[in-house]
Amino acid sequence: MLLKFSKSYAHQFLLLLLWSIVQSLLWFTIGPKIGADSDLYFTLAEELHRLEFPLNRTLLYSSYPLFILVSQTLFSGKFSVLFFHLLFNGLSILAFYSIIANTSENKKTALIGSIIYCLYLPLHEWNFIVYGESIFTSFTIFCIYFIVTKKYKLLSITLLITVFCRPTSLLFLLALFIGWAYQKYKNGNYSQRITLFLMGIISLTLGILFHQALEYYGPFMIEGYLIPEIIYFRNSLGVSPPINPYIPSEDDDIIIQLFLFVFNNWWYFLKITLIKGALFFGNIKPYYSLPHNLLIILSLYPLYYFAFKKCLKRARLKFIDIFCITYILLQGFTVSITSENWDGRFLIPIIPFIIYLSCFEIYNTLKKNRALITFVRYFTLH
């Protein structure tokens, strides 16, 4: 019976072993770090400790400071929250494996995708930095896992934590709704009219939330266009703004201000948007070293290629595929109209979903290559 149990969970044991090796290597090479925005999280954790709950924009950052507060209660030191980073990241590996195994009905595909997840070092680097990226990324995977396995009570709790982890969670939420509506319409559960009505209600609700966010971030966006801030913080990469750009009145609603700026400076706006989008998806930076950029190209770009091949098979796309595509595009669009971060961390939350889309075609390619068939069979323990 023990032997049967070991064989049933052989992939999971292998993944946890590989994950442990990767985390150990990163711990001894980069160690724990404090980021530029870590102080914000510590301040919010102190406010929560005093039972001062945020009622402004920081509300959408509140779940991560809660983990900081709990970790500092259980342990001591500023890096105690990294315990939760590693715990949830390790569990997310198992959840990621289950997601692929459930949707593909192929454990080999699940193992290959999960190994790529384990070995994608830039993703795991954030396990050792006091930022919300690690926990947010893990919880987005948990949400998809609970949807795929139809554990909706656990989904509601997980989704609540995810939504209040960072503002871009609204993009994650929107992508979930779009994927859900697509699946319902495709399966014939709802007519086109009902689907459009539900999407309208959801879009209106999210639109109100986005408008509230833009009330704060909108003026900074316009200021960033005028610099232009291609890379945060105030790095224009040598791009010059127009000599006499159109600047909307601050008395107008922020949505109108943004529309007027884009409409009257459309060519300039298009140029900086394309540059920021290319930097986001490309992930390489002019100030990175040549080996660093080559590593990004060799590890990330093949994933894009195989993910794109998967997306071309439109007849086979399911809820999770539509969600992944939508989430990736929404994240890229948002960065394109704001600014890319100097360390490329805005790409991190969507990396698992790029891997998800790519692993199907990677496995198919390996399976078709005779030289690799033996390797795949041996390595997947079947």
Side-chain angles (χ1 to χ4, degrees):
M1 184 175 179
L2 181 61
L3 181 62
K4 184 178 180 181
F5 177 83
S6 299
K7 286 183 178 180
S8 299
Y9 292 95
H11 286 179
Q12 287 87 337
F13 289 141
L14 175 64
L15 289 171
L16 287 177
L17 176 62
L18 180 60
W19 177 85
S20 300
I21 293 171
V22 169
Q23 304 310 310
S24 300
L25 289 173
L26 288 172
W27 176 269
F28 289 110
T29 53
I30 66 172
K33 294 180 180 179
I34 296 292
D37 294 336
S38 298
D39 287 339
L40 169 65
Y41 295 121
F42 289 128
T43 300
L44 291 174
E46 291 172 3
E47 291 176 355
L48 288 174
H49 183 65
R50 297 193 300 266
L51 299 180
E52 297 175 6
F53 299 99
L55 297 175
N56 51 22
R57 70 180 183 90
T58 57
L59 179 65
L60 289 175
Y61 292 98
S62 56
S63 61
Y64 182 63
L66 185 61
F67 283 114
I68 293 178
L69 179 60
V70 173
S71 66
Q72 290 181 341
T73 303
L74 296 173
F75 311 104
S76 61
K78 287 190 171 183
F79 296 114
S80 57
V81 72
L82 300 187
F83 167 78
F84 285 119
H85 287 203
L86 291 167
L87 173 64
F88 294 137
N89 185 251
L91 292 174
S92 75
I93 295 289
L94 301 179
F96 192 69
Y97 174 87
S98 296
I99 291 168
I100 302 173
N102 272 279
T103 54
S104 69
E105 299 180 353
N106 186 328
K107 291 184 177 181
K108 294 180 181 180
T109 304
L111 182 62
I112 289 172
S114 301
I115 287 174
I116 296 171
Y117 183 16
C118 279
L119 295 178
Y120 200 88
L121 298 183
L123 181 66
H124 300 285
E125 179 184 358
W126 291 94
N127 291 339
F128 302 96
I129 305 174
V130 184
Y131 262 60
E133 265 68 20
S134 176
I135 284 181
F136 175 72
T137 304
S138 296
F139 269 77
T140 57
I141 293 171
F142 295 152
C143 287
I144 299 301
Y145 169 75
F146 290 135
I147 290 173
V148 169
T149 56
K150 298 181 180 179
K151 298 176 180 178
Y152 298 118
K153 290 183 179 179
L154 291 172
L155 171 64
S156 60
I157 299 170
T158 308
L159 195 58
L160 190 65
I161 295 171
T162 307
V163 167
F164 290 101
C165 195
R166 55 186 307 108
T168 52
S169 61
L170 296 177
L171 303 178
F172 174 75
L173 198 59
L174 179 58
L176 280 180
F177 281 131
I178 292 174
W180 169 80
Y182 169 84
Q183 189 65 38
K184 291 295 183 182
Y185 177 64
K186 182 180 178 183
N187 292 344
N189 297 79
Y190 298 138
S191 66
Q192 184 177 11
R193 185 174 298 177
I194 294 176
T195 303
L196 290 174
F197 173 76
L198 290 173
M199 285 299 297
I201 296 295
I202 293 167
S203 299
L204 179 61
T205 304
L206 290 174
I208 292 171
L209 293 174
F210 278 116
H211 185 271
Q212 291 297 316
L214 284 175
E215 288 288 347
Y216 176 82
Y217 292 106
F220 293 108
M221 291 170 63
I222 294 175
E223 180 184 349
Y225 299 153
L226 294 172
I227 296 174
E229 186 177 70
I230 302 297
I231 294 178
Y232 183 84
F233 179 69
R234 293 179 175 272
N235 189 338
S236 66
L237 293 183
V239 178
S240 300
I243 297 175
N244 294 306
Y246 175 86
I247 302 175
S249 170
E250 295 181 2
D251 295 330
D252 293 329
D253 183 84
I254 189 59
I255 299 293
I256 295 175
Q257 289 184 50
L258 289 168
F259 172 78
L260 290 175
F261 184 93
V262 172
F263 182 78
N264 290 282
N265 304 289
W266 68 272
W267 177 247
Y268 167 69
F269 179 80
L270 179 62
K271 180 173 73 172
I272 62 175
T273 297
L274 291 175
I275 292 173
K276 287 182 283 188
L279 287 168
F280 170 75
F281 284 112
N283 206 226
I284 59 176
K285 303 292 186 292
Y287 45 81
Y288 286 172
S289 66
L290 180 60
H292 189 172
N293 281 327
L294 285 175
L295 179 62
I296 291 171
I297 292 170
L298 292 174
S299 59
L300 178 61
Y301 290 22
L303 296 179
Y304 282 144
Y305 169 74
F306 288 111
F308 182 70
K309 285 186 68 177
K310 164 72 171 174
C311 295
L312 290 178
K313 298 178 179 180
R314 291 180 294 176
R316 300 181 183 179
L317 296 182
K318 303 176 182 177
F319 152 77
I320 188 171
D321 303 311
I322 298 300
F323 155 75
C324 289
I325 295 167
T326 306
Y327 185 38
I328 291 166
L329 293 178
L330 284 174
Q331 186 83 348
F333 173 75
T334 302
V335 171
S336 298
I337 63 171
T338 51
S339 60
E340 166 67 326
N341 206 59
W342 68 272
D343 53 15
R345 66 186 174 93
F346 296 149
L347 187 71
I348 294 302
I350 65 172
I351 287 295
F353 304 108
I354 296 172
I355 294 172
Y356 172 85
L357 290 173
S358 66
C359 68
F360 296 88
E361 292 302 317
I362 291 174
Y363 173 70
N364 289 337
T365 301
L366 291 174
K367 189 170 64 172
K368 291 175 183 176
N369 192 321
R370 292 179 178 274
L372 293 172
I373 289 177
T374 304
F375 169 79
V376 172
R377 286 177 177 172
Y378 173 78
F379 198 64
T380 54
L381 307 179
H382 281 284

